[in-house]
């Protein structure tokens, strides 16, 4: 250092020098026995006073001689003398070649190319023969993406599985890359492609490297594949979806095999376009998609393409769970050095065997260390249930129950035809139930129709004390009464609360003005709503928030209040509704992270149209307004292991997103309450709910339940949080305080149901119902 230079000036000078070499990745060669090279080297010494010089030529010569005569055991002195005499009259400094690495100001004395390769590959012998080594040394390999691609490139370089490698990556090395990319801190801010090329040159200066620091693009793709000779193998490890597709199209057109490691579960893709020129891209996983649109898609629209590429069902549970945390607690998917190193080994091995004509297959392969090297599986213990299992509700059980609790027919009681009964029950079962579980069975006997609670269909975390079921049975009752009036029947209902069995209610029918004196008949207050039974549905569409007129809100409120004691509290957009949205979102997260809540979610969703058509119950996934990434999240969340990971990480915030969006697009939130918390009130409240829902349909207002919160609060308040973890109870207690304050709730009132109202497009798909023959018995 110049003693007159300040530290700051010295640092500035060094930084300037470093910047000069930022894009340099080829070493320089000096052979001292060539006069011109000697002069160039002397010039280098004068320009680089801090030049680091390494001369280990004697050691290399000793290795060369020892490898050529493996049958002889030399002493250290003997080998040293042989090495000194090997160069003959040539001065030692003139033998071989001096290699200068500008980026590190290092000069190294090496054997020249032929002898260098002989020594460096000596330990490969027979696993890779000399003939195979020479064949490999002629190969041209292209690597796109240099995180995993770096390890593959270096593994292939160490085995000398190529003569030329083309490296494409537009990114610079960052500190967060160093969890999986083996390089030094001195390379931060350096192009990934250049950093890899330098390390290859430092390993073997005769391997040719070509860097594409703008990454692979449509503009440079011809050069990458063809300039200097056609690639022999493409290794694809890039992040860009469009480039993944475009480079495969190019490789397929040129009949070049493609190898890709996925850095999860030891997953390796091999596509032998050289042997199968008509092979579909990515094994046909994306054949159903329009790959011509790739370049114009948003990140959200790319999700349906990305998931088949990844193999959404075959990736590890930790990666599935991690994908749900992207944008919540992490910024991108995690990658581990051990997985990257494994991928480097797998890809390098396969590329070598392709070149040597030892491997000819295409496919997706797994070398999952966690499956191959693992503890013996333990017998899984059953997840705890919050409610006991139920026995099947058979016709025999129903008949025996009717004998015990049913009512005898009255002489003036009408006897609806079988067709009438079919119409009545068909209307009744169009009613909404939690998760579309349809927890009912009906029996018509002795002129009376009986409604039973088929509990085996409704057991769930949300159905605390059967409250959700009673609401659904109440909605069915309302539909039945409305349909009976439409068919010109008067109806007398009797409910059996508090229930001693699964029998909930009975219905007797009378022709107009034929009912015996004193018979309590159902009022005709809301008969006009019968016309909307078939059009009513759950509308989960997420749209733009629009105002609902005061007159329509009044109409819905009045419909609720036709049931004695029922009240509807409405929230309008603003801070209070936003706070309610946060409560709803938090409880939705709690539901999905709860073992039974998650199991209920998985079991109630119908994951394909075929499944929905087959079961005719549950929630058809097509009725949920999901973006492609949200749909991916739903599918990832099906797996128990994913939920376990999220609980361990105290994650799962992604589960709040959809509920928050639903509230964010709502015109109003409504909370339906009854005078007290009782089974009978929840049944009667179901009728009030159905009137509100049908009235909303009449006014073309979309209606969606958001009620897990009320059922969780019922479990907290009336069940002391039974089945919930201490952490959930603690969080729920705080949310409960906010909820009570928001809706100004009196402690004695029963909190029945929470829903949103909005102006939205018509439902694309309606929930199906089970066949009448499955739920109705006529005796």
């Amino acid at each position: 250092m110049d003693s007159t230079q300040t530290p700051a000036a010295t640092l500035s000078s060094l930084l300037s020098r470093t910047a000069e070499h930022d894009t340099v990745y080829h070493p320089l060669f000096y052979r001292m026995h060539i006069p011109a090279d000697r002069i160039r080297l002397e010039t280098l010494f004068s320009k680089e006073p801090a030049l680091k010089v390494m001369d280990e030529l004697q050691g290399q010569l000793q290795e060369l001689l020892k490898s050529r005569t493996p049958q002889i055991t030399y002493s250290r002195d003997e080998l040293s003398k042989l090495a000194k005499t090997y160069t003959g009259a040539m001065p030692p400094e003139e033998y071989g070649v001096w290699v200068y690495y500008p980026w590190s100001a290092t000069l190294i004395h090496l054997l020249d190319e032929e002898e260098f390769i002989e020594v460096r590959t000596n330990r490969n012998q027979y696993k890779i023969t000399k003939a195979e080594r020479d064949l490999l040394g002629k190969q041209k390999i292209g690597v796109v993406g240099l995180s995993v691609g770096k390890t593959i490139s270096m593994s292939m370089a160490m085995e000398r599985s190529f003569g030329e490698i083309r490296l494409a990556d537009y990114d610079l090395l960052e500190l967060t890359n160093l969890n999986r990319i083996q390089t030094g801190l001195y390379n931060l801010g350096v192009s990934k492609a250049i950093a890899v090329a330098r390390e290859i040159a430092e390993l073997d200066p005769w391997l040719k490297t070509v860097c594409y620091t703008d990454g692979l693009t449509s503009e440079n793709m011809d050069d990458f594949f063809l300039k200097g000779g056609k690639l022999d193998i493409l290794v694809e490890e890039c992040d860009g979806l469009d480039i993944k597709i475009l480079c495969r199209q190019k490789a397929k057109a040129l009949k070049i095999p493609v190898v890709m490691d996925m850095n999860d579960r030891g997953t390796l893709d091999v596509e032998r376009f050289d042997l199968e020129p008509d092979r579909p891209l990515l094994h046909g996983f994306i054949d159903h998609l329009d790959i011509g649109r790739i370049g114009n898609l948003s990140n959200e629209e790319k999700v349906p393409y990305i998931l088949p590429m990844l193999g959404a069902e075959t990736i590890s549970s930790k990666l599935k769970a991690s994908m749900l945390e992207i944008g919540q607690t992490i910024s991108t998917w995690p990658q581990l050095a051990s997985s990257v190193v494994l991928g480097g080994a797998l890809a390098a091995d396969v590329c070598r065997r392709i070149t040597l004509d030892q491997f000819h297959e295409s496919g997706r392969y797994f070398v999952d260390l966690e499956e191959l090297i693992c503890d013996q599986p333990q017998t899984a213990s059953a997840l705890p249930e919050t409610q006991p299992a139920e026995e099947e509700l058979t016709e025999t059980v129903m008949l025996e129950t009717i004998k015990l609790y049913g009512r005898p027919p009255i002489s003036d009681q009408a006897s609806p035809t079988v067709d009438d009964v079919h119409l009545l029950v068909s209307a009744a079962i169009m009613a909404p139930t939690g998760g579309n579980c349809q927890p009912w069975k009906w029996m018509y006997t002795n002129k009376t129709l009986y409604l039973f609670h088929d509990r085996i269909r409704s057991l769930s975390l949300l159905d605390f004390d059967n409250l959700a079921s009673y609401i659904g049975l109440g909605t069915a009752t309302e539909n039945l009464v409305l349909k009976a009036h439409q068919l010109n029947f008067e109806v007398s209902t009797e409910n059996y609360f508090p229930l001693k069995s699964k029998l909930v209610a009975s219905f007797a029918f009378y022709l107009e003005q034929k009912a015996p004196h004193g018979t309590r008949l159902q009022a005709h207050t809301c008969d006009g709503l019968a016309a909307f039974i078939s059009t009513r549905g759950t509308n989960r569409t997420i749209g733009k928030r629009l105002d609902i007129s005061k007159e329509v809100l009044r109409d819905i409120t009045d419909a609720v209040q036709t049931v004695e004691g029922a009240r509807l509290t409405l929230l309008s957009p603003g801070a209070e509704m936003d706070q309610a949205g946060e409560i709803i979102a938090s409880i939705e997260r709690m539901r999905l992270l709860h073992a039974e809540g998650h199991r209920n979610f998985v079991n109630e969703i119908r994951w394909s149209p075929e499944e929905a058509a087959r079961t005719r119950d549950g929630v058809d996934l097509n009725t949920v307004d999901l973006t492609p990434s949200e749909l991916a999240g739903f599918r990832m969340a099906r797996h128990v292991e994913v939920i376990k990971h999220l609980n361990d990480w105290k994650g799962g915030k992604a589960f709040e997103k959809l509920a928050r969006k639903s509230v964010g697009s709502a015109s109003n939130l409504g909370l339906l309450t009854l005078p007290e918390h009782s089974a009978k009130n929840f049944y009667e409240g179901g009728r009030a709910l159905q009137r509100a829902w049908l009235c909303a349909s009449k006014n073309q207002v979309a209606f969606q339940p958001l009620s897990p919160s009320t059922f969780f609060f019922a479990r907290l308040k009336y069940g002391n949080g039974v089945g919930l973890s201490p952490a959930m109870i603690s969080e729920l207690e705080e949310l409960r305080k906010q909820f009570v304050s928001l809706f100004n709730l009196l402690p004695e009132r029963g909190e029945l149901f929470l829903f949103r109202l909005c102006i939205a497009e018509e439902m694309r798909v309606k929930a199906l119902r089970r066949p009448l023959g499955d739920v109705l018995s006529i005796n």
Side-chain angles (χ1 to χ4, degrees), residues 8 157 226 404 558:
L226 296 170
L404 284 173
D558 288 345

Side-chain angles (χ1 to χ4, degrees), residues 123-176:
R123 300 290 179 88
N124 292 344
Q125 181 65 5
Y126 297 138
K127 283 203 168 183
I128 299 175
T129 66
K130 289 181 180 179
E132 289 172 338
R133 178 198 69 188
D134 294 343
L135 175 60
L136 290 166
K138 297 174 183 177
Q139 299 304 296
K140 296 175 175 64
I141 306 295
V143 181
V144 185
L146 291 165
S147 289
V148 178
K150 192 256 179 153
T151 307
I152 298 171
S153 302
M154 293 307 299
S155 298
M156 295 183 72
M158 282 188 277
E159 291 186 357
R160 222 169 195 280
S161 292
F162 59 82
E164 176 183 335
I165 191 166
R166 300 169 194 170
L167 305 166
D169 199 312
Y170 62 84
D171 218 349
L172 305 180
L173 275 163
E174 299 173 330
L175 187 58
T176 52

Side-chain angles (χ1 to χ4, degrees), residues 427-446:
I429 64 175
M430 291 298 293
T433 53
N436 191 27
C437 67
Q438 306 170 47
W440 44 52
K441 281 194 174 178
W442 306 77
M443 176 166 277
Y444 180 67
T445 184
N446 289 331

Side-chain angles (χ1 to χ4, degrees), residues 6-17:
T6 65
T10 302
L11 180 60
S12 177
S13 174
L14 290 171
L15 290 173
S16 174
R17 181 191 179 286

